[in-house]
């Protein structure tokens, strides 16, 4: 009896396995592009941030626990990280926005071919149709969005950690998670108006050019849609910002400690 059940269980598993695999692969399909992009961009951002802070304060990460760096230094280091990461983020972000805004996102047999068939094809097509500079379309708006808001991001993080950690100690994992989450929300709330503009600039140039530049895009979006346009996606950005940045900062702290 027991034997029979085990065999049945094993058989079920064997039969079910291909389905599970397909399901899993389907579930994570399309994840390699964001994964590569986030790995590159976050290493640049956090690398620049910690090195600039190191240069400004002449203190190691561990020493800074007992002697908090000034928020001005944290802000400057965050802004510098923001400027440098823009060069890396711009093409990745452009490709993401272009792919997300496709009207025929899927290739269907016999149906119309989508303009971009995937991230690599998208990059090659932009390069061909819009030139190498085309890959940096919207980069100014992106830099304007990210420079001050990444300063704010790190100030929020360090401030929250400092306030909730006994003097001289390392913040607990729970504190790091909440501080990272709040940093994500604060920076996304501040970044949302320029995020709307950035995405519009990135989509511009696909057919005819609609905007003359960032300012023109701000003015004409405001004229056509009112003040509300600058708050588009605010809720979703914040809701996503909390968990994403909680985990980001937890891994950052973990790596800092394991590398010594
Ligand atoms: C500055 N800005 C708010 C745009 C982003 C800040 C957090 C960056 C993080 N990789 C994320 O995707 O949430």
């Amino acid at each position: 009896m027991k034997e029979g059940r085990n065999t049945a269980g094993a058989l079920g598993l064997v039969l079910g396995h291909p389905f599970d695999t397909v399901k899993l692969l389907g579930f994570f399909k399309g994840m390699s592009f964001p994964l590569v992009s986030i790995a590159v961009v976050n290493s640049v951002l956090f690398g620049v941030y910690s090195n600039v802070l190191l240069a400004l304060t002449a203190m190691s990460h561990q020493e800074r626990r007992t002697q908090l760096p000034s928020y001005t230094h944290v802000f400057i280091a965050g802004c510098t990280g923001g400027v440098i990461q823009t060069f890396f983020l711009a093409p990745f972000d452009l490709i993401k926005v272009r792919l997300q805004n496709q009207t025929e996102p899927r290739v269907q047999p016999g149906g119309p071919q989508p303009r971009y068939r995937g991230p690599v094809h998208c990059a090659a097509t932009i390069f061909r149709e819009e030139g190498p500079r085309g890959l940096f379309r919207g980069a100014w708006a992106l830099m304007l969005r990210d420079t001050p808001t990444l300063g704010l991001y790190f100030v929020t993080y360090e401030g929250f950690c400092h306030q909730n950690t006994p003097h001289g100690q390392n913040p607990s994992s729970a504190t790091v998670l909440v501080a990272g989450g709040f940093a994500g929300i604060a920076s996304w709330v501040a970044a949302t108006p320029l995020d709307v503009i950035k995405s519009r600039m990135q989509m511009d140039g696909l057919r005819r050019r609609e905007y003359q530049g960032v300012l023109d895009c701000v003015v004409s979006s405001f004229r056509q849609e009112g003040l509300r346009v600058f708050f588009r996606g605010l809720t979703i950005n914040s809701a996503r910002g909390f968990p994403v940045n909680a985990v980001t900062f937890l891994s950052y702290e973990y790596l800092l400690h394991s590398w010594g």
Side-chain angles (χ1 to χ4, degrees), residues 14 17-19 28 32 45 47 63 67 81 88 92 105 107 110 156 161 192 225 231 238-239 250:
V14 170
H17 192 67
F19 293 98
F28 291 108
S32 42
L45 172 63
E63 287 165 338
Q67 230 184 315
F88 297 82
F92 284 120
V107 189
T156 312
C161 280
T192 296
E225 291 151 86
F231 300 98
S238 317
L250 192 66

Side-chain angles (χ1 to χ4, degrees), residues 10-143:
L11 210 64
L13 189 75
V14 170
L15 286 178
H17 192 67
F19 293 98
D20 275 338
T21 313
V22 169
K23 196 172 70 192
L24 258 178
L25 286 178
F27 209 70
F28 291 108
K29 203 173 155 223
M31 253 187 71
S32 42
F33 174 69
L35 222 58
V36 171
S37 123
I38 206 91
V40 172
V41 171
N42 274 350
S43 336
V44 172
L45 172 63
F46 282 84
V48 172
Y49 168 73
S50 38
N51 282 298
V52 171
L53 201 55
L54 194 77
L56 287 173
T57 61
M59 271 188 278
S60 74
H61 185 66
Q62 211 48 45
E63 287 165 338
R64 282 203 301 272
R65 287 289 176 228
T66 41
Q67 230 184 315
L68 193 83
S70 78
Y71 287 119
T72 315
H73 284 162
V74 173
F75 188 75
I76 295 174
C79 291
T80 315
V83 171
I84 312 281
Q85 65 119 44
T86 303
F87 293 94
F88 297 82
L89 178 59
F92 284 120
D93 195 65
L94 174 73
I95 291 165
K96 185 195 79 178
V97 169
R98 289 281 176 96
L99 287 173
Q100 282 175 338
N101 282 291
Q102 279 200 129
T103 36
E104 308 93 15
R106 255 176 272 281
V107 189
Q108 266 151 10
Q113 278 281 329
R115 187 186 192 104
Y116 307 127
R117 274 175 254 144
V120 177
H121 181 249
C122 179
T125 310
I126 296 174
F127 189 88
R128 193 162 21 85
E129 291 178 351
E130 298 165 61
R133 285 192 59 184
L135 284 169
F136 288 86
R137 200 177 290 282
W140 277 121
L142 184 66
M143 196 179 275

Side-chain angles (χ1 to χ4, degrees), residues 38 41-42 45 85 145-147 149-150 153 183-184 186-189 191 195 237 240-241 244-245 248:
I38 206 91
V41 171
N42 274 350
L45 172 63
Q85 65 119 44
R145 182 197 79 173
D146 278 12
T147 306
T149 54
L150 283 171
Y153 178 70
S187 69
W188 271 112
V189 167
D195 186 58
N237 286 346
R240 174 191 164 279
V244 167
N245 294 290
T248 304

Side-chain angles (χ1 to χ4, degrees), residues 196-208:
V196 174
I197 300 302
K198 180 231 43 147
S199 303
R200 293 185 172 200
M201 298 294 298
Q202 287 172 323
M203 288 307 288
D204 203 24
L206 205 52
R207 284 176 194 92
R208 54 183 185 84

